[in-house]
Amino acid sequence: MTLIDGITSRSVQTPRLRANVLERAGDREHGGPVVVFIHGNVSSSLFWQDTMLSAPEHWRVFAIDLRGFGDSETLPVDATRGLRDFSDDVASVVAEMGLGSVHVVAWSMGAGVALQYALDHPVRSLTLQSPVSPYGFGGTRGDGSRLTDDDAGCGGGGANPDFVAHLESGDTSSDSQASPRAVYASSYVVPGFVSEHEDIWVESMLSTKTGVDNYPGDGVPSENWPGFAAGTRGVLNTMAPRYLDLSGIVDLEPKPPLTWIHGANDLIVSDTSYFDLNYLGELGVIPGWPGAEVAPAQPMVTQTRRVFEAYASAGGTFQELVLENCGHSPHLEYPEAFRDALVATVEAAGGE
């Protein structure tokens, strides 16, 4: 595992799992805000290193590898619990380390983990980057209602088998469009973005454990287009709408301050996501699409905005930052803007 100078790692054994945790060398044990970073799908805590190093000196910062990612223990993921296996793991690490009520910063699928964590545990603030829709990934209308009873087109059956094969083989090249490096360059960031740490980001992606109990999970046959539906095991099924509905955040009391940061050119979490099979059907990439009345693309960003606006209307504090010419990874693509928004959120919420 490649660590940038100034970042250290430790193994934390909890009653649930052995978790790998990154921290910043020299952070004081007491005195400042405690900030926990949660990574997204097909990644690990390695992606947070630069952001952790740029945090104010009086903060204590930690990044946790979720089960089956990075250097944490590989354990089965029960998709029927939504993202709770992951959020319960985070809670067990926070408890074992005695961190108390923390500020949570989270990315993509990890932002869903953070929302579930906030529903179950007090948090001081939430900074969510490119979050999965509160209604899961794929298979819902704008109001969050499910398109089919079996969540057709969602979950583990929708993963690109070539991409999974490249993960399993540890491919670090860009020879194939389905290689992790090529997917990073085309989807994690806007095309043309250059990072000096790209090799580390690819290493992070390759730490993803594959299989039906991890990434991507299983699928089941369906009579509905495109012919498969969400299974019960593994990572992608955790975000199937039958298992994941985080819209209850609107009724949370007390409501922590919430900041939403996302790129205007995100291809993964979008109202026109290239990872939503219904949208690909609309484009003709997947044949046999039954039309927008039956299988509309999921308006992911619109759904998120509606839920967060309702959160604010119910007494919460919510702000949105949209970055132009930015993809799925604002903390990499616009680190200063991301840091400024994060610092403003944490410092306004306060706490030690």
Side-chain angles (χ1 to χ4, degrees):
M1 187 173 66
T2 305
L3 300 180
I4 298 173
D5 287 346
I7 297 294
T8 64
S9 68
R10 68 161 113 166
S11 182
V12 177
Q13 182 65 55
T14 83
R16 290 184 56 81
L17 82 166
R18 179 193 55 75
N20 184 64
V21 180
L22 301 190
E23 53 194 310
R24 184 171 56 178
D27 277 4
R28 295 175 297 174
E29 290 191 8
H30 304 286
V34 179
V35 182
V36 171
F37 293 82
I38 305 174
H39 65 81
N41 194 12
V42 191
S43 66
S44 73
S45 60
L46 292 179
F47 267 97
W48 287 120
Q49 293 182 88
D50 282 333
T51 308
M52 294 169 68
L53 290 170
S54 73
E57 291 183 359
H58 65 288
W59 289 12
R60 296 177 66 201
V61 294
F62 304 92
I64 302 171
D65 283 336
L66 301 174
R67 64 171 61 193
F69 296 94
D71 277 354
S72 283
E73 186 176 1
T74 300
L75 294 172
V77 176
D78 180 357
T80 66
R81 303 188 70 231
L83 291 167
R84 289 180 181 87
D85 271 358
F86 296 127
S87 63
D88 287 351
D89 290 347
V90 171
S92 72
V93 174
V94 170
E96 186 68 28
M97 297 180 70
L99 301 182
S101 179
V102 299
H103 302 267
V104 181
V105 186
W107 177 29
S108 195
M109 180 188 79
V113 175
L115 287 173
Q116 185 62 61
Y117 182 92
L119 286 168
D120 297 332
H121 307 277
V123 300
R124 294 190 178 276
S125 71
L126 289 165
T127 302
L128 306 180
Q129 170 179 264
S130 311
V132 63
S133 165
Y135 299 111
F137 199 95
T140 58
R141 302 174 183 85
D143 62 0
S145 59
R146 294 164 59 200
L147 298 177
T148 64
D149 290 338
D150 60 357
D151 292 341
C154 300
N160 182 337
D162 290 338
F163 178 61
V164 176
H166 284 285
L167 287 175
E168 291 175 340
S169 71
D171 183 11
T172 61
S173 76
S174 56
D175 296 340
S176 166
Q177 290 184 346
S179 73
R181 189 179 297 273
V183 171
Y184 160 80
S186 65
S187 303
Y188 281 42
V189 295
V190 290
F193 173 79
V194 176
S195 169
E196 64 175 314
H197 297 310
E198 181 174 310
D199 288 345
I200 300 178
W201 311 151
V202 174
E203 175 187 345
S204 177
M205 296 173 71
L206 287 169
S207 76
T208 303
K209 309 307 186 294
T210 58
V212 292
D213 282 319
N214 296 103
Y215 181 85
D218 63 344
V220 297
S222 173
E223 295 180 356
N224 300 302
W225 185 89
F228 72 89
T232 62
R233 303 159 64 190
V235 174
L236 291 187
N237 292 311
T238 65
M239 293 174 282
R242 77 164 90 175
Y243 306 132
L244 189 68
D245 183 350
L246 301 167
S247 60
I249 196 76
V250 171
D251 300 317
L252 182 65
E253 293 296 344
K255 291 181 171 63
L258 190 160
T259 295
W260 173 27
I261 306 169
H262 59 113
N265 307 94
D266 191 343
L267 298 182
I268 298 176
V269 176
S270 168
D271 285 1
T272 51
S273 168
Y274 283 79
F275 291 72
D276 179 356
L277 298 194
N278 287 354
Y279 183 61
L280 294 181
E282 180 181 341
L283 295 179
V285 175
I286 300 176
W289 182 60
E293 289 297 319
V294 176
Q298 181 189 12
M300 303 177 188
V301 171
T302 297
Q303 289 176 335
T304 298
R305 185 173 292 114
R306 286 174 179 168
V307 170
F308 288 174
E309 287 175 346
Y311 181 86
S313 296
T317 301
F318 154 63
Q319 56 183 337
E320 177 183 359
L321 173 62
V322 186
L323 296 169
E324 298 297 327
N325 193 35
C326 180
H328 193 59
S329 311
H331 72 300
L332 302 182
E333 300 168 85
Y334 290 91
E336 294 84 5
F338 182 88
R339 179 189 182 278
D340 289 347
L342 171 59
V343 170
T345 302
V346 171
E347 294 295 336
E352 297 183 358

